[in-house]
Amino acid sequence: MSISLASWAMGLDVGSVAAKGVLLRDGEWVARAMIATGWDPAEAGRRLRAELTDSVGMDLELPRVVATGYGRNAVEANGRVTEISCHALGARRLFGDGVRTILDIGGQDSKVIALDRSGNVANFLMNDKCAAGTGRFLQNMAVMLGCSLSDFSSLSEDLEPHGISSMCTVFAESEVVGLLARGVDKNALALGLLDAVASRAEGMMRRLGLQPEVVFTGGVSQSRNLRALLEKRLNLPVRVSEDSQYAGALGAALLATRKTTRRRRRDEDAPK
Ligand code: ADP
């Protein structure tokens, strides 16, 4: 089927671990897709586009596409926008106009974005130098503990987290092996690892100037236990949505919508 594409817009967020895509029609969410980025971000972008257009039965003609994320320059798109702008827009769409602090923890980086009352980016901090405190860190630790990532969402909150001293993935691995050998409870250790991630995130947020409402995006936000540990540390509610991992792609799609709308207005205004 080929349909009029004037009102369609697509956002692609090609991250270091996961590539996410959102398709909007007249600004409303109609389809989403997520795949592993793998070694080839360009191919991940192509597969995402195909999945999104297939899911609504379109062929060939493509809507306006804006790409973001670390792989954005490799992806075929009409525009490329930084993750900061896209996350800010996407988070406001997901959580509303009260959002002032966005914590995003993805596969290989973490960032905190401060928004002013109008939703403009006032400031941000980004850690993309090492995997400490990111999804990659937790993935490695899950392997060491012989558990899955979803186990990081179902730990008993009654346990006391067993602290770890190193956030460097390499040193933390040796520490975890040593602690397990000494008989430390595996779940308490898992909670301790999550608390170390929470502590690092808290430090970034306080450095930037913590303002409620606080929202949590990126794949790591799906850890229920991490959210609870963060709330305890901040003494504030931290909002998460099941769509939190799509915040960047949603923001990119919203920017694509704006461009589409502007172009459509221009076309409509043009002399016939
Ligand atoms: P990126 O955009 O950098 O690729 P994402 O924001 O898509 O990253 O997040 C991907 C990361 O989310 C993965 O590294 C994975 O470890 C993490 N993740 C996904 N689900 C969970 C979960 N339930 N608990 C902890 N981490 C998770």
Side-chain angles (χ1 to χ4, degrees), residues 15-18 20 106-108 135-136 139 149 153 218-220 222-223 245:
S16 59
V17 172
K20 288 79 57 184
Q108 241 165 239
R136 186 81 73 188
Q139 276 175 286
L149 271 181
S153 295
V220 177
Q222 297 309 301
S223 165
Q245 199 167 356

Side-chain angles (χ1 to χ4, degrees), residues 27-46:
E28 294 305 318
W29 198 324
V30 288
R32 75 201 68 194
M34 177 160 25
I35 58 172
T37 302
W39 62 272
D40 185 351
E43 176 57 19
R46 274 191 291 276

Side-chain angles (χ1 to χ4, degrees), residues 129-140:
K129 296 281 180 281
C130 75
T134 66
R136 186 81 73 188
F137 172 81
L138 290 176
Q139 276 175 286
N140 286 11

Side-chain angles (χ1 to χ4, degrees), residues 130-133 137 141 164-174 200:
C130 75
F137 172 81
M141 295 306 136
I164 60 149
S165 56
S166 182
M167 276 297 279
C168 163
T169 309
V170 179
F171 291 127
E173 276 180 10
S174 323
R200 204 179 164 92

Side-chain angles (χ1 to χ4, degrees), residues 85 88-89 92 97 99-100 102 114-122:
S85 309
L89 264 180
R92 273 188 38 121
D97 294 346
V99 177
R100 299 294 299 277
I102 303 164
L115 301 185
D116 66 18
R117 284 183 202 286
S118 314
N120 303 308
V121 175

Side-chain angles (χ1 to χ4, degrees), residues 13-138:
D13 175 9
V14 181
S16 59
V17 172
K20 288 79 57 184
V22 166
L23 189 61
L24 301 179
R25 183 175 197 183
D26 291 326
E28 294 305 318
W29 198 324
V30 288
R32 75 201 68 194
M34 177 160 25
I35 58 172
T37 302
W39 62 272
D40 185 351
E43 176 57 19
R46 274 191 291 276
R47 281 182 46 213
L48 263 186
R49 286 173 77 125
E51 262 194 42
L52 285 169
T53 49
D54 283 358
S55 70
V56 290
M58 280 195 236
D59 60 7
L60 290 175
E61 285 180 281
L62 284 163
R64 170 118 195 145
V65 181
V66 167
T68 187
Y70 111 108
R72 64 181 177 274
N73 291 325
V75 171
E76 194 190 320
N78 310 100
R80 291 174 183 83
V81 180
T82 68
E83 287 148 273
I84 304 294
S85 309
C86 291
H87 272 274
L89 264 180
R92 273 188 38 121
R93 169 57 82 92
L94 284 177
F95 299 101
D97 294 346
V99 177
R100 299 294 299 277
T101 306
I102 303 164
L103 168 67
D104 176 79
I105 309 185
Q108 241 165 239
D109 64 24
S110 48
K111 47 188 164 294
V112 179
I113 306 168
L115 301 185
D116 66 18
R117 284 183 202 286
S118 314
N120 303 308
V121 175
N123 206 350
F124 70 92
L125 269 178
M126 185 149 175
N127 161 39
D128 55 0
K129 296 281 180 281
C130 75
T134 66
R136 186 81 73 188
F137 172 81
L138 290 176

